PDB file of all heavy atoms in Angstrom:
ATOM      1  N   VAL A  10     144.597   8.347-200.869  1.00  0.00           N
ATOM      2  CA  VAL A  10     143.327   8.146-200.483  1.00  0.00           C
ATOM      3  C   VAL A  10     143.086   6.664-200.177  1.00  0.00           C
ATOM      4  O   VAL A  10     143.801   5.811-200.654  1.00  0.00           O
ATOM      5  CB  VAL A  10     142.338   8.663-201.532  1.00  0.00           C
ATOM      6  CG1 VAL A  10     142.538  10.158-201.716  1.00  0.00           C
ATOM      7  CG2 VAL A  10     142.573   7.919-202.869  1.00  0.00           C
ATOM      8  N   GLN A  11     142.036   6.396-199.491  1.00  0.00           N
ATOM      9  CA  GLN A  11     141.602   5.058-199.252  1.00  0.00           C
ATOM     10  C   GLN A  11     140.844   4.583-200.387  1.00  0.00           C
ATOM     11  O   GLN A  11     140.252   5.349-201.129  1.00  0.00           O
ATOM     12  CB  GLN A  11     140.799   4.942-197.953  1.00  0.00           C
ATOM     13  CG  GLN A  11     141.524   5.170-196.679  1.00  0.00           C
ATOM     14  CD  GLN A  11     140.699   5.078-195.549  1.00  0.00           C
ATOM     15  OE1 GLN A  11     139.473   5.023-195.482  1.00  0.00           O
ATOM     16  NE2 GLN A  11     141.355   5.001-194.284  1.00  0.00           N
ATOM     17  N   ALA A  12     140.754   3.272-200.560  1.00  0.00           N
ATOM     18  CA  ALA A  12     140.008   2.590-201.663  1.00  0.00           C
ATOM     19  C   ALA A  12     138.514   3.107-201.552  1.00  0.00           C
ATOM     20  O   ALA A  12     137.959   3.147-200.378  1.00  0.00           O
ATOM     21  CB  ALA A  12     140.024   1.120-201.560  1.00  0.00           C
ATOM     22  N   GLY A  13     137.912   3.423-202.647  1.00  0.00           N
ATOM     23  CA  GLY A  13     136.607   3.934-202.658  1.00  0.00           C
ATOM     24  C   GLY A  13     136.488   5.453-202.612  1.00  0.00           C
ATOM     25  O   GLY A  13     135.347   6.040-202.851  1.00  0.00           O
ATOM     26  N   GLY A  14     137.576   6.058-202.372  1.00  0.00           N
ATOM     27  CA  GLY A  14     137.655   7.539-202.249  1.00  0.00           C
ATOM     28  C   GLY A  14     137.716   8.273-203.600  1.00  0.00           C
ATOM     29  O   GLY A  14     137.681   7.604-204.669  1.00  0.00           O
ATOM     30  N   SER A  15     137.699   9.509-203.541  1.00  0.00           N
ATOM     31  CA  SER A  15     137.621  10.463-204.781  1.00  0.00           C
ATOM     32  C   SER A  15     138.631  11.470-204.757  1.00  0.00           C
ATOM     33  O   SER A  15     139.009  11.966-203.591  1.00  0.00           O
ATOM     34  CB  SER A  15     136.221  11.022-204.995  1.00  0.00           C
ATOM     35  OG  SER A  15     135.246   9.975-205.091  1.00  0.00           O
ATOM     36  N   LEU A  16     139.061  11.962-205.837  1.00  0.00           N
ATOM     37  CA  LEU A  16     140.020  13.022-206.044  1.00  0.00           C
ATOM     38  C   LEU A  16     139.555  13.818-207.385  1.00  0.00           C
ATOM     39  O   LEU A  16     138.916  13.229-208.213  1.00  0.00           O
ATOM     40  CB  LEU A  16     141.509  12.573-206.250  1.00  0.00           C
ATOM     41  CG  LEU A  16     142.099  12.019-205.054  1.00  0.00           C
ATOM     42  CD1 LEU A  16     143.506  11.483-205.453  1.00  0.00           C
ATOM     43  CD2 LEU A  16     142.440  13.125-203.961  1.00  0.00           C
ATOM     44  N   ARG A  17     139.889  15.122-207.406  1.00  0.00           N
ATOM     45  CA  ARG A  17     139.780  15.866-208.607  1.00  0.00           C
ATOM     46  C   ARG A  17     141.107  16.370-209.025  1.00  0.00           C
ATOM     47  O   ARG A  17     141.708  17.277-208.309  1.00  0.00           O
ATOM     48  CB  ARG A  17     138.759  16.980-208.463  1.00  0.00           C
ATOM     49  CG  ARG A  17     138.432  17.703-209.862  1.00  0.00           C
ATOM     50  CD  ARG A  17     137.550  18.765-209.795  1.00  0.00           C
ATOM     51  NE  ARG A  17     138.050  20.008-209.312  1.00  0.00           N
ATOM     52  CZ  ARG A  17     137.513  21.158-209.536  1.00  0.00           C
ATOM     53  NH1 ARG A  17     136.406  21.280-210.260  1.00  0.00           N
ATOM     54  NH2 ARG A  17     138.130  22.246-208.967  1.00  0.00           N
ATOM     55  N   LEU A  18     141.637  15.801-210.102  1.00  0.00           N
ATOM     56  CA  LEU A  18     142.968  16.145-210.687  1.00  0.00           C
ATOM     57  C   LEU A  18     142.733  17.470-211.552  1.00  0.00           C
ATOM     58  O   LEU A  18     141.745  17.486-212.350  1.00  0.00           O
ATOM     59  CB  LEU A  18     143.663  15.073-211.407  1.00  0.00           C
ATOM     60  CG  LEU A  18     143.783  13.828-210.636  1.00  0.00           C
ATOM     61  CD1 LEU A  18     144.546  12.777-211.531  1.00  0.00           C
ATOM     62  CD2 LEU A  18     144.373  13.909-209.224  1.00  0.00           C
ATOM     63  N   SER A  19     143.598  18.410-211.449  1.00  0.00           N
ATOM     64  CA  SER A  19     143.482  19.500-212.294  1.00  0.00           C
ATOM     65  C   SER A  19     144.769  19.807-213.180  1.00  0.00           C
ATOM     66  O   SER A  19     145.923  19.332-212.683  1.00  0.00           O
ATOM     67  CB  SER A  19     143.322  20.846-211.506  1.00  0.00           C
ATOM     68  OG  SER A  19     142.146  20.701-210.797  1.00  0.00           O
ATOM     69  N   CYS A  20     144.689  20.238-214.285  1.00  0.00           N
ATOM     70  CA  CYS A  20     145.773  20.608-215.203  1.00  0.00           C
ATOM     71  C   CYS A  20     145.602  21.957-215.683  1.00  0.00           C
ATOM     72  O   CYS A  20     144.709  22.223-216.494  1.00  0.00           O
ATOM     73  CB  CYS A  20     145.814  19.582-216.423  1.00  0.00           C
ATOM     74  SG  CYS A  20     147.082  19.969-217.664  1.00  0.00           S
ATOM     75  N   ALA A  21     146.493  22.826-215.212  1.00  0.00           N
ATOM     76  CA  ALA A  21     146.469  24.278-215.567  1.00  0.00           C
ATOM     77  C   ALA A  21     147.420  24.528-216.710  1.00  0.00           C
ATOM     78  O   ALA A  21     148.567  24.163-216.616  1.00  0.00           O
ATOM     79  CB  ALA A  21     146.707  25.207-214.477  1.00  0.00           C
ATOM     80  N   ALA A  22     146.903  25.130-217.782  1.00  0.00           N
ATOM     81  CA  ALA A  22     147.773  25.341-219.009  1.00  0.00           C
ATOM     82  C   ALA A  22     148.087  26.814-219.167  1.00  0.00           C
ATOM     83  O   ALA A  22     147.296  27.661-218.798  1.00  0.00           O
ATOM     84  CB  ALA A  22     147.037  24.857-220.306  1.00  0.00           C
ATOM     85  N   SER A  23     149.184  27.085-219.698  1.00  0.00           N
ATOM     86  CA  SER A  23     149.509  28.452-220.012  1.00  0.00           C
ATOM     87  C   SER A  23     148.588  29.010-221.204  1.00  0.00           C
ATOM     88  O   SER A  23     148.056  28.041-221.863  1.00  0.00           O
ATOM     89  CB  SER A  23     150.968  28.658-220.359  1.00  0.00           C
ATOM     90  OG  SER A  23     151.377  27.827-221.515  1.00  0.00           O
ATOM     91  N   GLY A  24     148.661  30.146-221.437  1.00  0.00           N
ATOM     92  CA  GLY A  24     147.806  30.692-222.542  1.00  0.00           C
ATOM     93  C   GLY A  24     147.915  30.007-223.838  1.00  0.00           C
ATOM     94  O   GLY A  24     147.929  28.803-224.016  1.00  0.00           O
ATOM     95  N   ARG A  25     148.241  30.834-224.841  1.00  0.00           N
ATOM     96  CA  ARG A  25     148.538  30.349-226.217  1.00  0.00           C
ATOM     97  C   ARG A  25     147.367  29.489-226.763  1.00  0.00           C
ATOM     98  O   ARG A  25     147.577  28.308-227.040  1.00  0.00           O
ATOM     99  CB  ARG A  25     149.873  29.587-226.239  1.00  0.00           C
ATOM    100  CG  ARG A  25     150.259  29.313-227.644  1.00  0.00           C
ATOM    101  CD  ARG A  25     151.703  28.631-227.621  1.00  0.00           C
ATOM    102  NE  ARG A  25     152.154  28.334-228.971  1.00  0.00           N
ATOM    103  CZ  ARG A  25     153.362  27.775-229.305  1.00  0.00           C
ATOM    104  NH1 ARG A  25     154.135  27.535-228.326  1.00  0.00           N
ATOM    105  NH2 ARG A  25     153.717  27.505-230.502  1.00  0.00           N
ATOM    106  N   THR A  26     146.240  30.118-226.836  1.00  0.00           N
ATOM    107  CA  THR A  26     145.105  29.444-227.358  1.00  0.00           C
ATOM    108  C   THR A  26     144.814  28.091-226.876  1.00  0.00           C
ATOM    109  O   THR A  26     144.859  27.113-227.640  1.00  0.00           O
ATOM    110  CB  THR A  26     145.168  29.434-228.903  1.00  0.00           C
ATOM    111  OG1 THR A  26     146.181  28.678-229.343  1.00  0.00           O
ATOM    112  CG2 THR A  26     145.171  30.849-229.516  1.00  0.00           C
ATOM    113  N   PHE A  27     144.662  27.946-225.615  1.00  0.00           N
ATOM    114  CA  PHE A  27     144.346  26.626-224.956  1.00  0.00           C
ATOM    115  C   PHE A  27     143.223  25.875-225.598  1.00  0.00           C
ATOM    116  O   PHE A  27     143.235  24.611-225.699  1.00  0.00           O
ATOM    117  CB  PHE A  27     144.105  26.831-223.416  1.00  0.00           C
ATOM    118  CG  PHE A  27     143.628  25.649-222.719  1.00  0.00           C
ATOM    119  CD1 PHE A  27     144.508  24.624-222.325  1.00  0.00           C
ATOM    120  CD2 PHE A  27     142.324  25.525-222.354  1.00  0.00           C
ATOM    121  CE1 PHE A  27     144.102  23.531-221.699  1.00  0.00           C
ATOM    122  CE2 PHE A  27     141.852  24.355-221.731  1.00  0.00           C
ATOM    123  CZ  PHE A  27     142.702  23.410-221.331  1.00  0.00           C
ATOM    124  N   SER A  28     142.128  26.537-226.006  1.00  0.00           N
ATOM    125  CA  SER A  28     141.020  26.009-226.547  1.00  0.00           C
ATOM    126  C   SER A  28     141.259  25.240-227.853  1.00  0.00           C
ATOM    127  O   SER A  28     140.460  24.497-228.327  1.00  0.00           O
ATOM    128  CB  SER A  28     139.900  27.110-226.754  1.00  0.00           C
ATOM    129  OG  SER A  28     140.279  28.011-227.691  1.00  0.00           O
ATOM    130  N   SER A  29     142.389  25.501-228.547  1.00  0.00           N
ATOM    131  CA  SER A  29     142.723  24.906-229.782  1.00  0.00           C
ATOM    132  C   SER A  29     143.493  23.545-229.547  1.00  0.00           C
ATOM    133  O   SER A  29     143.769  22.998-230.601  1.00  0.00           O
ATOM    134  CB  SER A  29     143.563  25.769-230.655  1.00  0.00           C
ATOM    135  OG  SER A  29     144.869  26.027-230.101  1.00  0.00           O
ATOM    136  N   TYR A  30     143.610  23.096-228.372  1.00  0.00           N
ATOM    137  CA  TYR A  30     144.389  21.810-228.048  1.00  0.00           C
ATOM    138  C   TYR A  30     143.459  20.762-227.596  1.00  0.00           C
ATOM    139  O   TYR A  30     142.669  20.953-226.754  1.00  0.00           O
ATOM    140  CB  TYR A  30     145.504  22.119-227.098  1.00  0.00           C
ATOM    141  CG  TYR A  30     146.653  22.878-227.469  1.00  0.00           C
ATOM    142  CD1 TYR A  30     146.607  24.315-227.502  1.00  0.00           C
ATOM    143  CD2 TYR A  30     147.831  22.320-227.966  1.00  0.00           C
ATOM    144  CE1 TYR A  30     147.612  24.995-227.999  1.00  0.00           C
ATOM    145  CE2 TYR A  30     148.839  22.998-228.353  1.00  0.00           C
ATOM    146  CZ  TYR A  30     148.777  24.372-228.418  1.00  0.00           C
ATOM    147  OH  TYR A  30     149.848  25.141-228.815  1.00  0.00           O
ATOM    148  N   ALA A  31     143.640  19.569-228.141  1.00  0.00           N
ATOM    149  CA  ALA A  31     143.019  18.434-227.548  1.00  0.00           C
ATOM    150  C   ALA A  31     143.900  18.021-226.345  1.00  0.00           C
ATOM    151  O   ALA A  31     145.119  18.263-226.338  1.00  0.00           O
ATOM    152  CB  ALA A  31     143.012  17.236-228.537  1.00  0.00           C
ATOM    153  N   MET A  32     143.272  17.388-225.298  1.00  0.00           N
ATOM    154  CA  MET A  32     143.990  17.089-224.097  1.00  0.00           C
ATOM    155  C   MET A  32     143.658  15.624-223.715  1.00  0.00           C
ATOM    156  O   MET A  32     142.733  14.971-224.121  1.00  0.00           O
ATOM    157  CB  MET A  32     143.439  17.994-223.000  1.00  0.00           C
ATOM    158  CG  MET A  32     143.478  19.541-223.224  1.00  0.00           C
ATOM    159  SD  MET A  32     145.099  20.171-223.165  1.00  0.00           S
ATOM    160  CE  MET A  32     145.451  20.072-221.410  1.00  0.00           C
ATOM    161  N   GLY A  33     144.609  15.210-222.872  1.00  0.00           N
ATOM    162  CA  GLY A  33     144.462  13.931-222.304  1.00  0.00           C
ATOM    163  C   GLY A  33     145.095  13.612-220.936  1.00  0.00           C
ATOM    164  O   GLY A  33     145.863  14.461-220.538  1.00  0.00           O
ATOM    165  N   TRP A  34     144.703  12.556-220.288  1.00  0.00           N
ATOM    166  CA  TRP A  34     145.364  12.106-219.031  1.00  0.00           C
ATOM    167  C   TRP A  34     145.847  10.719-219.321  1.00  0.00           C
ATOM    168  O   TRP A  34     145.235   9.877-219.884  1.00  0.00           O
ATOM    169  CB  TRP A  34     144.255  12.021-217.919  1.00  0.00           C
ATOM    170  CG  TRP A  34     143.879  13.341-217.380  1.00  0.00           C
ATOM    171  CD1 TRP A  34     142.748  14.063-217.769  1.00  0.00           C
ATOM    172  CD2 TRP A  34     144.523  14.195-216.405  1.00  0.00           C
ATOM    173  NE1 TRP A  34     142.628  15.277-216.996  1.00  0.00           N
ATOM    174  CE2 TRP A  34     143.831  15.299-216.169  1.00  0.00           C
ATOM    175  CE3 TRP A  34     145.742  13.967-215.700  1.00  0.00           C
ATOM    176  CZ2 TRP A  34     144.124  16.296-215.258  1.00  0.00           C
ATOM    177  CZ3 TRP A  34     146.059  14.929-214.783  1.00  0.00           C
ATOM    178  CH2 TRP A  34     145.336  16.112-214.583  1.00  0.00           C
ATOM    179  N   PHE A  35     147.090  10.578-218.815  1.00  0.00           N
ATOM    180  CA  PHE A  35     147.812   9.287-218.903  1.00  0.00           C
ATOM    181  C   PHE A  35     148.243   8.905-217.453  1.00  0.00           C
ATOM    182  O   PHE A  35     148.378   9.814-216.687  1.00  0.00           O
ATOM    183  CB  PHE A  35     148.985   9.301-219.842  1.00  0.00           C
ATOM    184  CG  PHE A  35     148.553   9.418-221.266  1.00  0.00           C
ATOM    185  CD1 PHE A  35     148.174  10.580-221.808  1.00  0.00           C
ATOM    186  CD2 PHE A  35     148.634   8.199-222.087  1.00  0.00           C
ATOM    187  CE1 PHE A  35     147.834  10.726-223.179  1.00  0.00           C
ATOM    188  CE2 PHE A  35     148.287   8.368-223.526  1.00  0.00           C
ATOM    189  CZ  PHE A  35     147.848   9.557-223.990  1.00  0.00           C
ATOM    190  N   ARG A  36     148.571   7.732-217.208  1.00  0.00           N
ATOM    191  CA  ARG A  36     149.115   7.240-215.971  1.00  0.00           C
ATOM    192  C   ARG A  36     150.266   6.272-216.132  1.00  0.00           C
ATOM    193  O   ARG A  36     150.136   5.416-217.149  1.00  0.00           O
ATOM    194  CB  ARG A  36     147.963   6.781-215.074  1.00  0.00           C
ATOM    195  CG  ARG A  36     147.376   5.485-215.451  1.00  0.00           C
ATOM    196  CD  ARG A  36     146.208   5.135-214.466  1.00  0.00           C
ATOM    197  NE  ARG A  36     145.623   3.844-214.792  1.00  0.00           N
ATOM    198  CZ  ARG A  36     144.489   3.433-214.219  1.00  0.00           C
ATOM    199  NH1 ARG A  36     143.747   4.170-213.363  1.00  0.00           N
ATOM    200  NH2 ARG A  36     143.992   2.310-214.626  1.00  0.00           N
ATOM    201  N   GLN A  37     151.137   6.253-215.147  1.00  0.00           N
ATOM    202  CA  GLN A  37     152.211   5.220-215.222  1.00  0.00           C
ATOM    203  C   GLN A  37     152.526   4.763-213.770  1.00  0.00           C
ATOM    204  O   GLN A  37     152.737   5.520-212.856  1.00  0.00           O
ATOM    205  CB  GLN A  37     153.465   5.883-215.841  1.00  0.00           C
ATOM    206  CG  GLN A  37     154.649   4.892-216.158  1.00  0.00           C
ATOM    207  CD  GLN A  37     155.647   5.408-217.011  1.00  0.00           C
ATOM    208  OE1 GLN A  37     155.794   6.666-217.164  1.00  0.00           O
ATOM    209  NE2 GLN A  37     156.365   4.519-217.659  1.00  0.00           N
ATOM    210  N   ALA A  38     152.487   3.505-213.619  1.00  0.00           N
ATOM    211  CA  ALA A  38     152.851   2.875-212.364  1.00  0.00           C
ATOM    212  C   ALA A  38     154.236   2.336-212.460  1.00  0.00           C
ATOM    213  O   ALA A  38     154.744   2.096-213.584  1.00  0.00           O
ATOM    214  CB  ALA A  38     151.896   1.726-212.045  1.00  0.00           C
ATOM    215  N   PRO A  39     154.956   2.167-211.311  1.00  0.00           N
ATOM    216  CA  PRO A  39     156.305   1.568-211.349  1.00  0.00           C
ATOM    217  C   PRO A  39     156.429   0.241-212.122  1.00  0.00           C
ATOM    218  O   PRO A  39     155.551  -0.690-211.916  1.00  0.00           O
ATOM    219  CB  PRO A  39     156.667   1.454-209.874  1.00  0.00           C
ATOM    220  CG  PRO A  39     155.857   2.429-209.152  1.00  0.00           C
ATOM    221  CD  PRO A  39     154.427   2.430-209.909  1.00  0.00           C
ATOM    222  N   GLY A  40     157.260   0.174-213.017  1.00  0.00           N
ATOM    223  CA  GLY A  40     157.496  -0.978-213.762  1.00  0.00           C
ATOM    224  C   GLY A  40     156.451  -1.215-214.938  1.00  0.00           C
ATOM    225  O   GLY A  40     156.537  -2.255-215.601  1.00  0.00           O
ATOM    226  N   LYS A  41     155.565  -0.279-215.059  1.00  0.00           N
ATOM    227  CA  LYS A  41     154.598  -0.390-216.121  1.00  0.00           C
ATOM    228  C   LYS A  41     154.750   0.639-217.133  1.00  0.00           C
ATOM    229  O   LYS A  41     155.422   1.732-217.024  1.00  0.00           O
ATOM    230  CB  LYS A  41     153.134  -0.187-215.462  1.00  0.00           C
ATOM    231  CG  LYS A  41     152.804  -1.178-214.431  1.00  0.00           C
ATOM    232  CD  LYS A  41     152.536  -2.591-214.916  1.00  0.00           C
ATOM    233  CE  LYS A  41     152.014  -3.435-213.770  1.00  0.00           C
ATOM    234  NZ  LYS A  41     151.740  -4.834-214.323  1.00  0.00           N
ATOM    235  N   GLU A  42     154.198   0.457-218.370  1.00  0.00           N
ATOM    236  CA  GLU A  42     154.213   1.400-219.495  1.00  0.00           C
ATOM    237  C   GLU A  42     153.192   2.552-219.214  1.00  0.00           C
ATOM    238  O   GLU A  42     152.155   2.325-218.540  1.00  0.00           O
ATOM    239  CB  GLU A  42     153.917   0.758-220.796  1.00  0.00           C
ATOM    240  CG  GLU A  42     154.928  -0.236-221.261  1.00  0.00           C
ATOM    241  CD  GLU A  42     154.717  -0.797-222.556  1.00  0.00           C
ATOM    242  OE1 GLU A  42     153.515  -0.753-223.056  1.00  0.00           O
ATOM    243  OE2 GLU A  42     155.662  -1.205-223.331  1.00  0.00           O
ATOM    244  N   ARG A  43     153.357   3.671-219.764  1.00  0.00           N
ATOM    245  CA  ARG A  43     152.527   4.741-219.637  1.00  0.00           C
ATOM    246  C   ARG A  43     151.147   4.367-220.383  1.00  0.00           C
ATOM    247  O   ARG A  43     151.225   3.992-221.567  1.00  0.00           O
ATOM    248  CB  ARG A  43     153.046   5.999-220.167  1.00  0.00           C
ATOM    249  CG  ARG A  43     152.145   7.220-219.953  1.00  0.00           C
ATOM    250  CD  ARG A  43     152.945   8.523-220.254  1.00  0.00           C
ATOM    251  NE  ARG A  43     154.167   8.689-219.459  1.00  0.00           N
ATOM    252  CZ  ARG A  43     154.896   9.784-219.366  1.00  0.00           C
ATOM    253  NH1 ARG A  43     154.642  10.745-220.186  1.00  0.00           N
ATOM    254  NH2 ARG A  43     156.034   9.737-218.592  1.00  0.00           N
ATOM    255  N   GLU A  44     150.037   4.555-219.821  1.00  0.00           N
ATOM    256  CA  GLU A  44     148.755   4.092-220.479  1.00  0.00           C
ATOM    257  C   GLU A  44     147.832   5.241-220.575  1.00  0.00           C
ATOM    258  O   GLU A  44     147.753   6.147-219.610  1.00  0.00           O
ATOM    259  CB  GLU A  44     148.187   2.967-219.669  1.00  0.00           C
ATOM    260  CG  GLU A  44     147.748   3.159-218.279  1.00  0.00           C
ATOM    261  CD  GLU A  44     147.005   2.000-217.678  1.00  0.00           C
ATOM    262  OE1 GLU A  44     146.566   1.126-218.402  1.00  0.00           O
ATOM    263  OE2 GLU A  44     146.831   2.002-216.404  1.00  0.00           O
ATOM    264  N   PHE A  45     147.019   5.294-221.482  1.00  0.00           N
ATOM    265  CA  PHE A  45     145.972   6.158-221.682  1.00  0.00           C
ATOM    266  C   PHE A  45     144.785   6.026-220.664  1.00  0.00           C
ATOM    267  O   PHE A  45     144.447   4.887-220.368  1.00  0.00           O
ATOM    268  CB  PHE A  45     145.334   6.044-223.141  1.00  0.00           C
ATOM    269  CG  PHE A  45     144.136   6.805-223.413  1.00  0.00           C
ATOM    270  CD1 PHE A  45     144.260   8.158-223.619  1.00  0.00           C
ATOM    271  CD2 PHE A  45     142.837   6.240-223.405  1.00  0.00           C
ATOM    272  CE1 PHE A  45     143.112   8.951-223.921  1.00  0.00           C
ATOM    273  CE2 PHE A  45     141.793   7.062-223.645  1.00  0.00           C
ATOM    274  CZ  PHE A  45     141.879   8.357-223.924  1.00  0.00           C
ATOM    275  N   VAL A  46     144.377   7.106-220.182  1.00  0.00           N
ATOM    276  CA  VAL A  46     143.237   7.121-219.187  1.00  0.00           C
ATOM    277  C   VAL A  46     141.974   7.725-219.724  1.00  0.00           C
ATOM    278  O   VAL A  46     140.931   7.115-219.675  1.00  0.00           O
ATOM    279  CB  VAL A  46     143.616   7.798-217.833  1.00  0.00           C
ATOM    280  CG1 VAL A  46     142.525   7.858-216.957  1.00  0.00           C
ATOM    281  CG2 VAL A  46     144.844   7.128-217.203  1.00  0.00           C
ATOM    282  N   ALA A  47     142.150   8.962-220.203  1.00  0.00           N
ATOM    283  CA  ALA A  47     140.894   9.631-220.805  1.00  0.00           C
ATOM    284  C   ALA A  47     141.483  10.727-221.698  1.00  0.00           C
ATOM    285  O   ALA A  47     142.582  11.305-221.593  1.00  0.00           O
ATOM    286  CB  ALA A  47     140.153  10.313-219.640  1.00  0.00           C
ATOM    287  N   GLY A  48     140.637  11.150-222.669  1.00  0.00           N
ATOM    288  CA  GLY A  48     140.896  12.151-223.597  1.00  0.00           C
ATOM    289  C   GLY A  48     139.713  13.079-223.915  1.00  0.00           C
ATOM    290  O   GLY A  48     138.588  12.609-223.692  1.00  0.00           O
TER     291      GLY A  48
END
């Protein structure tokens, strides 16, 4: 996307009581450590 644009990322989970899990998003750029984005 171009700067200023938007996306909606989705994460589909298998069953097994999905509602009992805390979730998070992380990101990693080349040469960088994986970093927390949102939880």
Side-chain angles (χ1 to χ4, degrees):
V10 299
Q11 295 182 346
S15 299
L16 290 169
R17 190 178 76 160
L18 309 184
S19 297
C20 174
S23 63
R25 193 175 177 179
T26 59
F27 172 77
S28 61
S29 68
Y30 289 81
M32 306 286 291
W34 288 96
F35 291 77
R36 66 186 182 187
Q37 187 168 22
K41 303 287 187 178
E42 294 184 338
R43 188 169 299 185
E44 65 174 344
F45 173 78
V46 176

